[in-house]
């Protein structure tokens, strides 16, 4: 486990061990390490004492959800007759009752790790379940069992938990530090201590401290060094390769972009606003409305829907992307044709220069296509 994240793991464990136990709610974007943290908690507490549930994958119908969690639970399902209730509402109530009353084989409180718990919203379309999320958090707060929840939708989770039981302890997933990044880089950063620290700081800054991005950069740097040649060990060239049309981060950003937009309203208008902010940020409501050619009232609604799925943030009434690499991806890939190698290199160089003051505008970026350097792009 990363040393800098040990404190986070201990905080979650301390919340579970409190009397009465608190309910940690881990919030963070895609690739922020929420699921990894749940798995670490599971290993620490023991697999037979904990049930991990991927709500996003199992929340289909309340009946199937109930059967799925009961089928793999390490906790005895004492009421067998309740495992096949009639109707969606009855099935959800039975599942909620199981979460609240389950006990281990030693008759101790059960521990449930519920990944992406807001996906229970899927059940809202069934009769009697319009308030399913509210019923869920109320049921958990009144139980003596222990729970850890996660969600990638920070704004929605905070709104749901507002004015709820004090048992819920919101924990925002922290960005990785330089030390964390150095640990992930491993042998890739081997050598002179000063050079290794510089590489780790560069990777941490380019990745905005997001674990999935740091890992992708570390893996790409390792591959580049294995093949040698120009650009090996260059974090900026590694980022350019990752954001090429078939690159790992290009695909990851595309997944997150579509996932969040499809959870929001006004798909087309929201994409247009993201393209506007990709061109220039931060912008005020008035500036965005003018460029969108829509009224300020309509634009304000669109912006609130983007904030609702954490694609943008507002600071001092000015809007910008929540994820800087997502903004770079939109600049590169939300266009009629895929970007060329030169265009990727140029955009990545500009991104790096803004985040790394020591990067000169004329420094070279090498983009690896077939894992060999294919050219050096000089940025004017």
């Amino acid at each position: 486990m990363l040393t800098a994240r040990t404190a986070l793991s201990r905080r979650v464990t301390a919340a579970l061990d409190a009397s009465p136990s608190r309910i940690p709610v881990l919030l963070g974007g895609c690739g922020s390490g929420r699921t990894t943290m749940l798995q670490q908690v599971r290993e620490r507490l023991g697999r037979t004492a904990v049930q991990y549930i991927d709500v996003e994958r199992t929340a289909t119908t309340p009946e199937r959800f109930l059967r799925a969690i009961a089928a793999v639970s390490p906790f005895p399902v004492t009421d067998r007759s309740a495992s096949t209730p009639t109707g969606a509402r009855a099935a959800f109530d039975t599942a909620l009752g199981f979460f609240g009353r389950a006990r281990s084989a030693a008759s101790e409180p059960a521990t449930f790790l519920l990944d992406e718990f807001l996906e229970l919203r899927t059940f809202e379309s069934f009769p009697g379940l319009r308030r399913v999320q509210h019923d869920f958090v109320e049921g958990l707060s009144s139980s003596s069992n222990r729970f850890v929840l996660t969600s990638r939708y920070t704004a929605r989770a905070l709104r749901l938990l507002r004015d709820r039981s004090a048992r819920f302890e919101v924990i925002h997933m922290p960005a990785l530090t330089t030390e964390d990044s150095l640990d992930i880089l491993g042998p890739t950063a081997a050598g002179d201590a000063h050079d290794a620290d510089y590489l780790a700081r560069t990777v941490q800054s380019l990745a905005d401290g997001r674990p999935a991005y740091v890992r992708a950069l570390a893996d790409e740097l390792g591959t580049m060094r294995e093949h040698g040649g120009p650009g090996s060990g260059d974090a900026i060239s590694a980022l350019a390769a990752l954001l090429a049309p078939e690159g790992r981060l290009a695909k990851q950003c595309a997944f997150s972009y579509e996932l969040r937009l499809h959870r929001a309203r006004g798909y087309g208008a929201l994409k247009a606003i993201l393209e506007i902010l990709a061109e220039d940020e931060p912008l005020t409501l008035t500036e965005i409305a003018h460029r969108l050619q829509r009224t300020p009232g309509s634009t304000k609604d669109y912006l609130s829907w983007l904030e609702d799925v954490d694609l943008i943030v507002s600071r001092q009434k000015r809007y910008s992307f929540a994820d800087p690499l997502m903004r770079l991806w939109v600049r590169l890939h939300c266009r009629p044709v895929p970007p060329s190698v030169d265009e990727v290199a140029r955009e990545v160089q500009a991104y790096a220069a803004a985040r790394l003051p020591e990067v000169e505008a004329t420094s070279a970026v090498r983009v690896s296509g077939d894992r060999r350097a294919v050219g050096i792009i000089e940025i004017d």
Side-chain angles (χ1 to χ4, degrees):
M1 186 184 300
L2 296 176
T3 302
R5 290 215 156 187
T6 301
L8 177 60
S9 179
R10 289 177 176 173
R11 179 178 174 184
V12 172
T13 303
L16 294 174
D17 291 340
S19 182
S21 65
R22 299 188 299 278
I23 302 176
V25 184
L26 308 179
L27 303 178
C30 298
S32 61
R34 304 177 316 278
T35 300
T36 299
M37 182 57 60
L38 287 189
Q39 299 295 356
Q40 290 171 350
V41 171
R42 184 185 185 191
E43 294 300 326
R44 173 173 292 190
L45 297 180
R47 290 175 175 264
T48 59
V50 178
Q51 182 171 6
Y52 168 84
I53 300 172
D54 186 339
V55 178
E56 186 173 34
R57 295 289 175 261
T58 52
T60 54
T61 68
E63 295 91 338
R64 292 185 65 84
F65 178 68
L66 173 60
R67 289 200 296 271
I69 61 177
V72 298
S73 180
F75 310 120
V77 181
T78 55
D79 186 1
R80 291 293 178 182
S81 63
S83 62
T84 56
T86 302
R89 180 73 219 193
F92 175 75
D93 288 341
T94 302
L96 191 56
F98 176 67
F99 288 142
R101 295 187 293 271
R103 290 293 183 270
S104 68
S107 298
E108 297 178 344
T111 302
F112 293 95
L113 310 178
L114 296 160
D115 209 357
E116 294 299 338
F117 81 103
L118 288 184
E119 294 304 314
L120 289 171
R121 183 181 182 182
T122 303
F123 299 155
E124 289 181 350
S125 60
F126 293 94
L129 291 174
R130 291 290 298 172
R131 289 177 51 83
V132 63
Q133 292 181 332
H134 297 276
D135 294 344
F136 178 74
V137 297
E138 288 171 4
L140 264 55
S141 64
S142 62
S143 170
S144 60
N145 280 339
R146 309 192 303 176
F147 306 92
V148 183
L149 314 178
T150 78
S151 179
R152 63 167 65 91
Y153 299 109
T154 299
R156 290 182 174 181
L158 292 177
R159 187 168 59 250
L160 175 65
L161 297 175
R162 188 180 300 133
D163 301 325
R164 297 288 170 180
S165 169
R167 281 190 68 191
F168 292 99
E169 181 177 342
V170 173
I171 301 175
H172 296 276
M173 296 299 293
L176 294 181
T177 63
T178 299
E179 292 73 19
D180 295 332
S181 301
L182 184 61
D183 194 4
I184 290 177
L185 285 166
T188 304
D192 180 77
H194 180 269
D195 290 343
D197 180 72
Y198 175 79
L199 178 62
R201 286 190 291 108
T202 300
V203 167
Q204 191 274 343
S205 183
L206 292 176
D208 196 39
R210 298 169 187 256
Y213 297 166
V214 171
R215 171 60 65 188
L217 280 166
D219 291 346
E220 184 66 23
L221 283 166
T223 300
M224 291 170 67
R225 289 198 171 187
E226 286 178 9
H227 290 81
S232 59
D234 175 6
I236 301 177
S237 294
L239 180 59
L242 290 166
L243 284 170
E246 295 302 316
R248 175 172 163 183
L249 285 187
K251 294 177 180 178
Q252 186 171 333
C253 287
F255 168 79
S256 180
Y257 174 83
E258 292 294 344
L259 176 70
R260 292 180 182 277
L261 282 178
H262 280 291
R263 291 296 195 278
R265 300 167 59 188
Y267 182 80
L270 301 194
K271 289 175 67 176
I273 290 176
L274 291 176
E275 291 176 12
I276 289 169
L277 290 175
E279 294 170 359
D280 188 17
E281 68 168 18
L283 294 175
T284 65
L285 167 62
T286 302
E287 291 169 330
I288 295 171
H290 177 72
R291 300 183 191 194
L292 188 64
Q293 296 181 305
R294 293 293 184 272
T295 66
S298 296
T299 304
K300 186 174 182 180
D301 286 339
Y302 296 144
L303 291 168
S304 70
W305 297 339
L306 284 169
E307 287 182 291
D308 187 49
V309 291
D310 305 297
L311 277 169
I312 65 171
V313 294
S314 174
R315 298 186 180 91
Q316 297 180 333
K317 299 183 179 181
R318 301 180 74 85
Y319 296 89
S320 58
F321 273 79
D323 178 350
L325 262 182
M326 178 66 76
R327 177 176 184 253
L328 177 57
W329 178 85
V330 171
R331 286 181 63 86
L332 284 168
H333 295 280
C334 291
R335 53 171 69 184
V337 295
S340 67
V341 171
D342 290 8
E343 288 170 329
V344 172
R346 187 172 293 107
E347 288 288 349
V348 169
Q349 180 66 37
Y351 170 82
R355 298 186 69 82
L356 305 170
E358 66 273 19
V359 175
E360 296 183 0
T362 56
S363 61
V365 177
R366 302 170 179 85
V367 180
S368 173
D370 59 350
R371 300 305 180 187
R372 299 188 302 272
V374 297
I376 298 178
I377 310 302
E378 296 292 345
I379 307 301
D380 295 329

